[in-house]
Amino acid sequence: APSRRMLTIGRVPVPADIASWLQIPAGQDVVIRSRLQLLDGAPAVISASYYPLWVADGSRLESPGALPEGPDNLIEQLGHVFARGVELLRARMPSPEEARLLELDPGVPVVRMLHIDYDPDGRTLQVADDLYAGDRHEFAFEWAEQDGTGSGG
């Protein structure tokens, strides 16, 4: 059964690569919620979600408690609208700290998935940075053509 262990909740200086997706300067404070997700007791994913202060300031996104309704619903309750999203996947070798947290065997890569959500004005609402143990996951993508005929265009 899945379970999770919270790692960090609070304000941190945003890393440079995340800053560009959040459309803010590197080093500026953002709210982070990071956790280690476990499957049957084994570490499977390091999940870190970054929120700009204009979204998260003074909200429960900053509070150490759980968010039973989920962060997306909370963001909508704060008056924001999700308009579109982007996902990026990239495989690489883990850092020593990542290998330790995920209990990876030597030589096992990680897959990093970035998920970026935008509001209708093109502002970034959140960036989710998920790091998967490469030998414990497969990724499936399924889609339907909009008009159902498969002609595309």
Side-chain angles (χ1 to χ4, degrees), residues 3-149:
S3 58
R4 62 179 49 180
R5 193 168 88 225
M6 295 310 295
L7 299 173
T8 309
I9 298 177
R11 296 192 179 197
V12 298
V14 65
D17 58 337
I18 300 293
S20 62
W21 289 107
L22 283 173
Q23 307 173 56
I24 61 174
Q28 191 169 313
D29 271 3
V30 295
V31 170
I32 185 176
R33 297 181 69 87
S34 69
R35 59 212 170 275
L36 182 65
Q37 304 197 49
L38 305 112
L39 285 171
D40 301 321
V45 190
I46 302 170
S47 295
S49 296
Y50 297 88
Y51 305 95
L53 292 186
W54 67 269
V55 171
D57 184 36
S59 77
R60 282 191 300 122
L61 290 167
E62 291 199 84
S63 73
L67 302 173
E69 73 275 47
D72 290 10
N73 287 325
L74 177 54
I75 289 169
E76 288 182 332
Q77 288 165 21
L78 293 168
H80 304 292
V81 176
F82 290 89
R84 65 184 186 92
V86 174
E87 281 187 344
L88 297 167
L89 281 92
R90 182 175 154 227
R92 62 169 169 79
M93 296 310 293
S95 71
E97 171 71 358
E98 291 163 350
R100 185 186 67 77
L101 273 175
L102 289 171
E103 297 174 15
L104 298 175
D105 290 329
V108 173
V110 289
V111 176
R112 181 194 199 193
M113 186 187 311
L114 281 178
H115 179 101
I116 304 102
D117 286 301
Y118 298 94
D119 75 2
D121 296 322
R123 296 180 300 176
T124 308
L125 293 169
Q126 65 178 342
V127 175
D129 185 354
D130 293 334
L131 203 68
Y132 293 84
D135 58 350
R136 292 173 216 156
H137 296 275
E138 64 179 18
F139 300 89
F141 300 89
E142 181 179 328
W143 61 91
E145 298 299 338
Q146 282 187 326
D147 62 3
T149 65

